[in-house]
Amino acid sequence: MVRGMGESSFDDLLPWLMQTLTSESSSVDRSGAAQGLAEVVGGLGPEKLHRLMPDIIATAERSDIAPHVKDGYIMMFIFLPTVFVDEFTPYIGQIIPPILKALADENEFVRETALKAGQRIVNTYAESAITLLLPELEAGLFHDNWRIRYSSVQLLGDLLFKVSGVSGKMTTDTAHEDDNFGTEHSQRAIIDVLGEERRNRVLAGLYMGRSDVAVLVRQAALHVWKVVVTNTPKTLREILPTLFSLLLGHLASTSYDKRQVAARTLGDLVRKLGERVLPEIIPILEHGLSSPEADKRQGVCIGLSEIMGSTSKDMVLCFADNLVPTVRRALCDPLSSVRQAAAQTFDSLHTTVGHRALEDILPHLLNQLENEDETREYALDGLKQVMAIKSRVVLPYLVPQLTTPPVNTQALCILASVAGDTLTRHLSKILSALLGALSDTAGTAEYDEALTHCQGVVLAVTDEAGVTTIVDELLQHSKSNNLGVSRAAVALLLSFCSNTRADYSDYVSQLLRGLLQLFTHSDDEMLKTAWNTLNAVTKSLDATKQRALVSDVRQAVKFAASDLRSEELMPGFCLPKGIQPILPIFREAVLNGEPELKEAASNGLTEVIRLTSSEALKPSVVHVTGPLIRILGDRFAWNVKVAVLDTLALLLAKTGVMLKPFLPQLQTTFVKAVHDPHRGVRLRAGAALSHLITIHTKPDPLFTELHNAVKAADDTAIRDTMIQALRCVVQPAGDKMSDSVRKGLVVTLSSLLSHDDDSTRLCAAGAMGVLLPWLTNDELKNVVTQHVIDDNSGADWTIRHGRSAVLFSALKSAPSKLLSVASLDQIALTLLSYMSSDRVALVENAMAGVGFFLAHQLINGALIPPTLLHQFAKLINHNTNEVKQGMCRSCQYAAERLSKANGGQFPPDVVRPVIPMLVNGTKEKNQVVRSSAEMALIAILLLKEGDSGMQAIVTALEGSPRDVLKEVINKNLRRATYIPVTPAEMDPTLLT
């Protein structure tokens, strides 16, 4: 009717049919509309078909349309082929994808319609359009969606049934999965229609479907296989190359399901055909390794692993000669994914053949590392991949090879990154080799690259045992006599502490001790690297850990300083910003620690500052001073204040003018501390003021304040410490005093020389002694005449005590000044007068005066009155042990000063009267006197510096004194422990 009357007569028909085709109400209506529409289009002719088909196909392929709409359009593929048989043929290749896609739809009615459409296409075009149908169905066999794979198997089965002329409706449920129902005739028919190559591809796909992860796909594929295949083993041999080509691609697929299917198929294949099929499979795999397609090469490796897993050990050993070169070649493949798969194959091979796999494969890879082209990198990555899965076996084999000079640092670095905990067992040997390599390349162009590789090795270590080895070994090697090795060890330690992901907090104390010991090294590069390492360690610490490390740092500093000579600075602390790494630890403890910790931190700072140069302290002055001033301003116990004052005093002594910005705060703080109830705090504050006064430009107010405090003090202890503080500031800065202040001090100190308290008289005498150098000539003459030389033996003993103390203080602090206004005889007579007194205190002061006098005269090569010398020597026979001890101490002091000043020793005219008396002292009953005499003799003889001084003295003596001295030297002096004289022992005016 449409063909006879024309389309124009049915304007409403086509739109109505199209509308019904997508109706939601009933699938029957949609089916009728599809059939009617197909007939109408058939009546309008092929031109109408060609106009409509692109829209129908495009709509059917869309995924954003309603299910009933898709269902209607798929129905068109059922009816159009029956209307247009030949004209529809060009569209077969285009409609199969939307049909297969619809077969995976979530709606069952859409899937049923798609299956009918597919079956209609297959039944209609099985022979005429085979080249259009098969490619799409073959692709569907390996689709990621299992429903599409299932439908593809069904449609392919229908196609094969149609081509071969057999019915697929029979049951194939049998006891064995390899029972077959196919005939030779049907096989011949399939080959005639499909061709041998295509038939092999189809059957290979079906056989893989038998191992699918979806049970429905497996069942459908097995059913089709049984119906069309006559003999499974025979057919498998025929399709083996094609099947392996597919397997290799799937084994290397990114899809987990595809890899599973391929692996199952391969294992099934070896089991089906038996191990006798290996001679056929291995060559195929070897050939596959030459494929330009990376996924196939990767598949070869995975396939070999599966085969080895499904085959007996004996059979694998038989083919080892074929397998080893294949694995070896794959491990050096240009593609990373292939090398990774090859490592898995190596794992399987080693599991089966054991040590032979190592011996046959690894040496080849190691040889490849010597190449200069890209194969070197491939081989190195191959080793890395093997290590990643077999490190426990491979590393013990590789380490001896890679650590033999010349050490391959790059290989060790890459292998370490995947070795895991296994690396720790060989770490000691590896580290020694790395350090040797770094030492050998030092100063060359290869050093930086080698250092990078070595750093990679140590940074690969993250387990606790490995960290222990790293810290222990590198610290041990840092002490090596080989400078190159020790430099390398510290460089690696720096990299480890700066960049490691491992937790090394348990080793911080050990690192502090080891690194601070390196601060005494003489090599600049070592010092800088050790400094950077220590900085990295301390930066990793939080505040709590910093506070906990104060004690460890102090011990480490003391331990390191024990290697230094007396008064020697620590080279590491003298670098620019030398103490910065440990400063935060002390700073944190001073600001936020408990009182005991504040004290320890302050003492620690003092110890560090003492070992640091003034220049190196500059950048740290502000960071140190601020917190310490803050602590002194708070109400802490005396011991904390004493420690802080000691630190500030030393810092002032070292840096001086650098602390000028803090002058007001420091003066206020120190003056407040001078008035502290605790004696120790007052004394330390006075000592600190002695350093502060040197940077003071207008110190008169400070002098005046201390002077007034002395006059106002009622308590003896407070008065004495105030006088000591005054003495401390006068000694270094008396020249900055105004005349009025100076005169006022002279008056006050003069009056205190006759004070009732012995200690006050001594303190005033000491202060007067340090004031003498700053007096004018007239003032000096008056003081010396009235209070130093004027000894009236009939005067009150307290007056004589004060004057005797001023005399020895003057001889200590200003001997030249004193001798400029008083003659040698006057001084000698005054000292002799005090020595002959029956008051021990006066004799002791006189002995101290002789000690200072002797030292001054001997250093300057001046005359010493013989009378004074002989009378002084006889004091060893005094009836008081304190006097005997004092005589020995004065001799020791004078000898020490002379030796320190110019390396000299007592001349013969001093030796002859003094030495015999000291020898007698070594035979005293009192242990303290004997010891004092021995110390004096050791100092005079310079025994601690060798025998030359002793020989000079022995030569100066004659007869019995010489013999007795020799005897004392051999019996006592060589074994005696020498203890130098302290300033406080010689000068009782000093408060301690």
Side-chain angles (χ1 to χ4, degrees):
M1 189 161 41
V2 171
R3 189 183 300 118
M5 297 178 68
E7 184 179 356
S8 58
S9 302
F10 298 94
D11 288 340
D12 298 332
L13 180 60
L14 273 177
W16 176 74
L17 286 172
M18 291 298 291
Q19 184 179 356
T20 309
L21 182 70
T22 58
S23 169
E24 194 176 353
S25 58
S26 166
S27 63
V28 176
D29 290 348
R30 291 196 295 275
S31 177
Q35 188 172 6
L37 188 58
E39 293 295 341
V40 169
V41 173
L44 295 175
E47 294 82 6
K48 188 69 174 177
L49 174 71
H50 296 323
R51 285 202 304 273
L52 285 176
M53 275 307 291
D55 290 337
I56 293 172
I57 292 171
T59 306
E61 283 184 324
R62 286 173 59 185
S63 57
D64 58 344
I65 56 174
H68 57 274
V69 175
K70 179 177 283 194
D71 186 55
Y73 277 87
I74 294 292
M75 282 179 178
M76 293 297 295
F77 302 149
I78 298 175
F79 299 108
L80 283 175
T82 58
V83 177
F84 298 96
V85 179
D86 296 330
E87 290 87 347
F88 196 77
T89 302
Y91 298 105
I92 290 173
Q94 298 177 49
I95 67 170
I96 291 295
I99 288 174
L100 290 176
K101 193 174 179 183
L103 283 165
D105 197 274
E106 60 185 17
N107 295 284
E108 190 176 351
F109 64 87
V110 176
R111 294 200 297 272
E112 288 176 356
T113 301
L115 184 61
K116 287 177 185 176
Q119 289 170 335
R120 176 62 56 85
I121 298 295
V122 168
N123 290 328
T124 307
Y125 299 100
E127 295 175 1
S128 60
I130 201 83
T131 54
L132 296 172
L133 269 172
L134 267 180
E136 301 299 333
L137 293 177
E138 283 178 45
L141 286 176
F142 305 113
H143 198 279
D144 287 342
N145 190 304
W146 72 269
R147 292 184 187 278
I148 293 180
R149 296 200 299 274
Y150 174 56
S151 304
S152 297
V153 170
Q154 287 180 300
L155 294 176
L156 195 57
D158 291 344
L159 179 63
L160 292 176
F161 301 153
K162 181 85 174 175
V163 168
S164 62
V166 299
S167 170
K169 295 180 180 177
M170 66 178 78
T171 178
T172 54
D173 292 335
T174 58
H176 198 275
E177 63 175 17
D178 287 328
D179 292 339
N180 299 103
F181 300 92
T183 63
E184 288 295 333
H185 173 74
S186 63
Q187 280 291 300
R188 178 52 52 196
I190 291 172
I191 291 174
D192 289 343
V193 174
L194 302 185
E196 188 171 351
E197 183 185 347
R198 181 160 282 163
R199 169 259 198 180
N200 289 351
R201 281 209 312 272
V202 169
L203 290 182
L206 275 176
Y207 190 77
M208 289 179 68
R210 291 174 43 152
S211 299
D212 200 278
V213 292
V215 64
L216 288 176
V217 179
R218 291 202 299 273
Q219 290 171 348
L222 184 60
H223 173 75
V224 175
W225 180 270
K226 285 184 173 183
V227 170
V228 300
V229 172
T230 54
N231 184 303
T232 294
K234 179 186 174 187
T235 305
L236 282 176
R237 279 194 169 81
E238 291 172 357
I239 67 171
L240 202 58
T242 307
L243 178 57
F244 258 88
S245 180
L246 284 172
L247 283 174
L248 295 180
H250 280 64
L251 284 168
S253 170
T254 55
S255 165
Y256 177 77
D257 286 354
K258 286 184 180 178
R259 292 200 302 273
Q260 285 288 96
V261 170
R264 286 181 183 180
T265 305
L266 193 55
D268 186 55
L269 193 62
V270 174
R271 285 192 295 274
K272 289 275 194 312
L273 299 181
E275 294 172 344
R276 63 186 181 278
V277 80
L278 284 178
E280 299 173 42
I281 292 176
I282 299 298
I284 295 172
L285 289 172
E286 287 179 343
H287 180 71
L289 205 57
S290 303
S291 169
E293 298 174 38
D295 59 345
K296 283 196 175 179
R297 299 201 303 275
Q298 187 181 358
V300 167
C301 302
I302 300 171
L304 282 172
S305 298
E306 290 295 332
I307 289 170
M308 283 185 275
S310 305
T311 312
S312 69
K313 179 178 179 180
D314 292 339
M315 187 56 68
V316 174
L317 285 169
C318 290
F319 285 91
D321 291 340
N322 299 78
L323 292 169
V324 165
T326 307
V327 175
R328 191 191 291 155
R329 202 170 136 209
L331 282 169
C332 296
D333 193 90
L335 227 78
S336 173
S337 56
V338 178
R339 296 193 294 270
Q340 196 170 353
Q344 296 287 349
T345 311
F346 175 86
D347 185 18
S348 302
L349 184 64
H350 180 268
T351 303
T352 309
V353 304
H355 201 67
R356 181 180 172 184
L358 301 175
E359 294 177 337
D360 289 353
I361 293 175
L362 296 184
H364 171 76
L365 293 177
L366 290 171
N367 290 336
Q368 294 285 88
L369 296 182
E370 297 176 7
N371 296 346
E372 296 296 328
D373 55 10
E374 66 274 5
T375 57
R376 180 176 184 273
E377 299 300 322
Y378 302 154
L380 192 51
D381 187 65
L383 277 173
K384 176 183 175 182
Q385 301 300 341
V386 167
M387 276 285 299
I389 57 173
K390 209 75 175 172
S391 60
R392 287 182 182 275
V393 175
V394 174
L395 200 60
Y397 183 89
L398 288 178
V399 166
Q401 316 281 340
L402 296 174
T403 53
T404 303
V407 179
N408 193 329
T409 55
Q410 183 185 10
L412 284 171
C413 173
I414 290 174
L415 298 182
S417 66
V418 292
D421 294 351
T422 311
L423 180 66
T424 303
R425 301 177 189 175
H426 310 276
L427 197 52
S428 183
K429 187 172 185 179
I430 290 172
L431 284 174
S432 295
L434 293 179
L435 294 174
L438 282 176
S439 177
D440 293 342
T441 57
T444 67
E446 293 84 24
Y447 177 78
D448 288 341
E449 185 181 2
L451 179 59
T452 303
H453 294 152
C454 295
Q455 288 170 342
V457 174
V458 297
L459 293 177
V461 177
T462 54
D463 62 298
E464 187 176 348
V467 173
T468 302
T469 304
I470 290 276
V471 174
D472 289 348
E473 291 284 332
L474 292 182
L475 284 177
Q476 184 62 37
H477 283 293
S478 71
K479 302 170 188 172
S480 169
N481 293 328
N482 183 325
L483 182 59
V485 170
S486 55
R487 280 179 175 177
V490 184
L492 289 186
L493 200 55
L494 169 60
S495 176
F496 179 77
C497 294
S498 302
N499 305 306
T500 184
R501 293 175 287 114
D503 177 17
Y504 61 88
S505 56
D506 291 341
Y507 305 89
V508 170
S509 296
Q510 184 182 353
L511 286 166
L512 287 172
R513 192 162 53 253
L515 291 169
L516 282 168
Q517 193 171 5
L518 293 177
F519 272 38
T520 62
H521 210 282
S522 57
D523 181 66
D524 285 345
E525 186 178 330
M526 276 285 288
L527 289 175
K528 289 173 185 174
T529 313
W531 186 94
N532 286 325
T533 309
L534 184 61
N535 198 39
V537 171
T538 54
K539 274 187 176 177
S540 69
L541 305 170
D542 60 28
T544 306
K545 288 179 180 176
Q546 284 180 340
R547 291 197 294 272
L549 284 170
V550 170
S551 175
D552 291 323
V553 174
R554 289 188 67 191
Q555 287 178 4
V557 170
K558 287 176 183 175
F559 182 69
S562 65
D563 293 338
L564 302 172
R565 294 189 302 273
S566 177
E567 305 298 319
E568 186 180 358
L569 300 177
M570 192 175 288
F573 286 161
C574 296
L575 292 172
K577 300 183 179 180
I579 65 170
Q580 288 283 28
I582 57 174
L583 196 54
I585 294 173
F586 292 126
R587 179 185 169 89
E588 176 61 29
V590 165
L591 287 174
N592 301 313
E594 295 298 316
E596 295 78 9
L597 196 57
K598 291 180 190 293
E599 180 187 4
S602 297
N603 289 331
L605 269 174
T606 304
E607 292 153 7
V608 169
I609 292 168
R610 190 171 285 119
L611 295 167
T612 309
S613 68
S614 301
E615 192 64 28
L617 283 170
K618 277 184 182 179
S620 309
V621 164
V622 174
H623 298 292
V624 175
T625 310
L628 293 175
I629 292 175
R630 193 183 311 172
I631 293 301
L632 281 178
D634 292 336
R635 294 181 178 177
F636 286 107
W638 67 268
N639 52 331
V640 176
K641 292 181 179 179
V642 163
V644 172
L645 285 166
D646 281 340
T647 308
L648 284 171
L650 184 60
L651 195 61
L652 275 164
K654 285 270 188 177
T655 59
V657 74
M658 282 181 266
L659 284 175
K660 207 160 188 180
F662 292 98
L663 187 61
Q665 300 100 302
L666 286 171
Q667 180 171 326
T668 304
T669 305
F670 291 163
V671 170
K672 180 181 176 184
V674 166
H675 292 86
D676 193 270
H678 193 274
R679 182 174 185 272
V681 176
R682 296 197 301 272
L683 289 175
R684 296 311 195 290
L689 282 171
S690 72
H691 300 293
L692 182 71
I693 199 77
T694 58
I695 61 171
H696 219 307
T697 51
K698 296 179 180 178
D700 264 4
L702 180 57
F703 286 125
T704 303
E705 184 168 355
L706 291 175
H707 184 192
N708 291 336
V710 169
K711 291 191 290 184
D714 293 326
D715 182 78
T716 302
I718 292 176
R719 180 172 54 249
D720 290 351
T721 50
M722 287 297 175
I723 297 171
Q724 172 95 344
L726 192 57
R727 171 180 179 169
C728 289
V729 294
V730 168
Q731 186 166 2
D735 57 332
K736 297 181 181 180
M737 235 184 294
S738 65
D739 291 345
S740 59
V741 171
R742 187 178 64 250
K743 288 174 180 175
L745 274 180
V746 170
V747 171
T748 300
L749 292 175
S750 298
S751 66
L752 290 173
L753 289 176
S754 56
H755 198 276
D756 293 340
D757 291 318
D758 294 356
S759 59
T760 300
R761 292 195 296 275
L762 286 173
C763 290
M768 183 67 86
V770 300
L771 182 60
L772 292 181
W774 313 117
L775 299 180
T776 63
N777 283 335
D778 290 340
E779 290 170 343
L780 181 63
K781 281 178 184 176
N782 289 334
V783 171
V784 169
T785 303
Q786 294 175 22
H787 304 293
V788 181
I789 302 302
D790 181 20
D791 177 37
N792 180 3
S793 58
D796 186 77
W797 97 269
T798 56
I799 295 174
R800 294 189 73 200
H801 181 247
R803 290 176 178 176
S804 64
V806 175
L807 176 57
F808 80 69
S809 292
L811 287 168
K812 174 189 175 184
S813 304
S816 299
K817 274 269 192 180
L818 179 60
L819 286 165
S820 69
V821 294
S823 68
L824 201 61
D825 290 338
Q826 283 180 306
I827 294 171
L829 286 171
T830 308
L831 288 171
L832 284 168
S833 173
Y834 291 131
M835 278 194 285
S836 62
S837 172
D838 57 353
R839 290 275 188 170
V840 173
L842 296 181
V843 179
E844 287 179 334
N845 286 352
M847 283 190 299
V850 172
F852 294 127
F853 183 59
L854 272 176
H856 176 265
Q857 294 297 92
L858 290 173
I859 290 170
N860 292 285
L863 176 68
I864 300 170
T867 313
L868 177 66
L869 205 53
H870 285 81
Q871 190 65 30
F872 168 72
K874 289 178 183 177
L875 288 176
I876 197 69
N877 299 320
H878 199 278
N879 57 10
T880 308
N881 288 330
E882 287 80 2
V883 173
K884 296 175 182 179
Q885 189 181 343
M887 178 268 177
C888 298
R889 188 165 52 239
S890 293
C891 290
Q892 182 183 351
Y893 172 81
E896 285 176 354
R897 285 288 312 279
L898 179 59
S899 174
K900 189 175 181 181
N902 54 28
Q905 64 182 142
F906 283 8
D909 58 333
V910 176
V911 166
R912 291 189 190 100
V914 170
I915 291 289
M917 293 301 179
L918 289 174
V919 169
N920 290 340
T922 62
K923 297 174 182 175
E924 284 280 335
K925 292 179 182 179
N926 186 277
Q927 172 62 39
V928 178
V929 176
R930 287 203 308 273
S931 178
S932 299
E934 288 172 358
M935 294 304 104
L937 284 170
I938 292 172
I940 294 168
L941 298 170
L942 302 179
L943 272 184
K944 294 301 174 185
E945 298 171 24
D947 288 345
S948 58
M950 175 202 72
Q951 289 166 357
I953 298 293
V954 169
T955 305
L957 295 174
E958 296 176 355
S960 176
R962 176 162 55 185
D963 297 336
V964 177
L965 176 61
K966 283 182 180 178
E967 183 185 348
V968 169
I969 290 170
N970 294 326
K971 283 179 65 177
N972 305 79
L973 303 187
R974 292 197 186 278
R975 294 177 300 182
T977 303
Y978 185 73
I979 304 169
V981 178
T982 63
E985 286 177 320
M986 276 299 293
D987 186 356
T989 66
L990 284 173
L991 297 181
T992 56

